[in-house]
Amino acid sequence: MAMKVKEVSELASISVRTLHHYDEIGLLVPDETTSAGYRMYSDANLERLQQILFFKELGFSLKQIKNIIDDPAFNAEEALHMHKLILLEKRQRLDQMIATIDKTVLHLKGEIKMTPKEQFQGFDFSQNPFEQEARQRWGDHAVNEANQKLMHQPADKQKELSNQMNDMFRRLAALRHIAPESAEVQAEIKQWYMTLNQIGSYSPEAFKALGQMYVDDERFTQNIDQFGEGLAQFMANAMAAFTDTRI
């Protein structure tokens, strides 16, 4: 049964103006418009709107969402599975952070003694914050491949990769005061390159461009510099040096 725009607005808790905007940019065009000009949304429209809102929740731009959903290779079921995995992981991190807050309150009261490791449980900066920009710069292939690989890996393997990436950030932070071209730094950067290619497909050129993104976007810089001030710039320089010896 077709629904009017006001009904869809109330159902999905988004404004009528937003739905009009989605129509104007071709993101969500209602299957029917009455002779009086009323937009009428079908069940298929509602399914598409649900996908739009899932991707929006994960931080994708409207342009990216349109490109992804309109891709002939887009599979709604696979996308829902991906959404679920990401949300479950987010919920797990939030649960960890809540537990850390509770422990920290007790720690401040002197009722328990927290180890440094316990103080930072739930803070995980190894998650890939570059998915949106990677889609824009290199298309969906590398990112989709990475998502497929991650989806088919057991939880313990995903956790292992997360810990591995955190450890590499810390080791690189400890080396950031020496030359990016040095053998010691390049050995670590080679490991970084190999690790990224466990969950994606990055050519040397894409790897260098990814490093440049670490400094071009302040959000990435802030995330990476949590491990040490200036780490993002240092990694960008080291990744460029790594690539320049291979092309």
Side-chain angles (χ1 to χ4, degrees):
M1 178 175 158
M3 298 180 68
K4 295 180 180 179
V5 66
K6 189 173 186 300
E7 294 174 315
V8 176
S9 169
E10 293 173 351
L11 178 69
S13 299
I14 58 177
S15 69
V16 170
R17 178 178 293 182
T18 295
L19 288 168
H20 287 174
H21 178 61
Y22 288 176
D23 185 5
E24 290 164 2
I25 65 175
L27 178 61
L28 181 66
V29 179
D31 282 347
E32 180 186 352
T33 302
T34 68
S35 57
Y38 292 110
R39 295 170 169 87
M40 303 297 293
Y41 292 82
S42 67
D43 289 343
N45 290 147
L46 295 181
E47 290 174 6
R48 183 178 173 97
L49 177 59
Q50 185 196 55
Q51 282 288 352
I52 291 168
L53 297 180
F54 275 134
F55 277 111
K56 232 182 136 219
E57 173 66 23
L58 298 176
F60 285 78
S61 70
L62 297 182
K63 180 179 179 181
Q64 289 171 315
I65 296 171
K66 186 176 186 304
N67 289 339
I68 293 168
I69 296 179
D70 287 343
D71 189 326
F74 176 70
N75 184 303
E77 185 176 346
E78 289 180 0
L80 287 169
H81 183 54
M82 179 187 72
H83 295 323
K84 181 179 178 180
L85 287 177
I86 295 173
L87 291 170
L88 285 172
E89 184 179 2
K90 183 184 291 187
R91 183 174 71 182
Q92 182 180 17
R93 287 202 310 272
L94 289 173
D95 287 343
Q96 288 178 338
M97 292 183 75
I98 290 169
T100 298
I101 289 172
D102 291 339
K103 287 183 179 180
T104 302
V105 170
L106 297 176
H107 173 76
L108 293 175
K109 290 180 177 179
E111 297 179 19
I112 64 170
K113 178 67 175 177
M114 294 180 74
T115 66
K117 182 177 180 180
E118 288 175 327
Q119 288 177 308
F120 293 94
Q121 285 183 340
F123 295 92
D124 189 348
F125 298 100
S126 67
Q127 304 307 309
N128 184 4
F130 316 112
E131 181 162 303
Q132 291 175 242
E133 281 69 15
R135 288 187 185 278
Q136 287 179 324
R137 294 197 180 203
W138 305 311
D140 288 345
H141 176 71
V143 178
N144 285 340
E145 183 181 49
N147 282 336
Q148 287 296 319
K149 286 184 179 180
L150 284 173
M151 280 193 294
H152 291 91
Q153 288 177 347
D156 58 343
K157 178 61 176 177
Q158 294 184 36
K159 184 63 176 176
E160 179 185 340
L161 280 170
S162 174
N163 291 337
Q164 185 179 348
M165 294 173 79
N166 271 338
D167 288 342
M168 281 188 284
F169 274 129
R170 295 186 186 100
R171 289 200 301 271
L172 284 162
L175 297 174
R176 70 188 187 280
H177 301 301
I178 64 178
E181 303 84 6
S182 68
E184 189 175 6
V185 172
Q186 286 300 300
E188 289 292 339
I189 286 295
K190 182 178 180 180
Q191 287 299 315
W192 183 242
Y193 179 71
M194 293 170 63
T195 298
L196 289 179
N197 275 289
Q198 289 181 45
I199 57 174
S201 180
Y202 295 90
S203 66
E205 293 87 350
F207 184 63
K208 181 177 181 178
L210 182 64
Q212 187 58 45
M213 260 195 289
Y214 293 175
V215 294
D216 284 347
D217 191 309
E218 64 180 4
R219 295 169 300 169
F220 304 156
T221 304
Q222 290 172 359
N223 282 334
I224 296 172
D225 281 3
Q226 296 274 356
F227 290 89
E229 186 177 357
L231 178 59
Q233 182 65 67
F234 175 77
M235 287 185 68
N237 294 341
M239 290 162 75
F242 176 86
T243 298
D244 290 345
T245 63
R246 285 163 174 76
I247 60 176

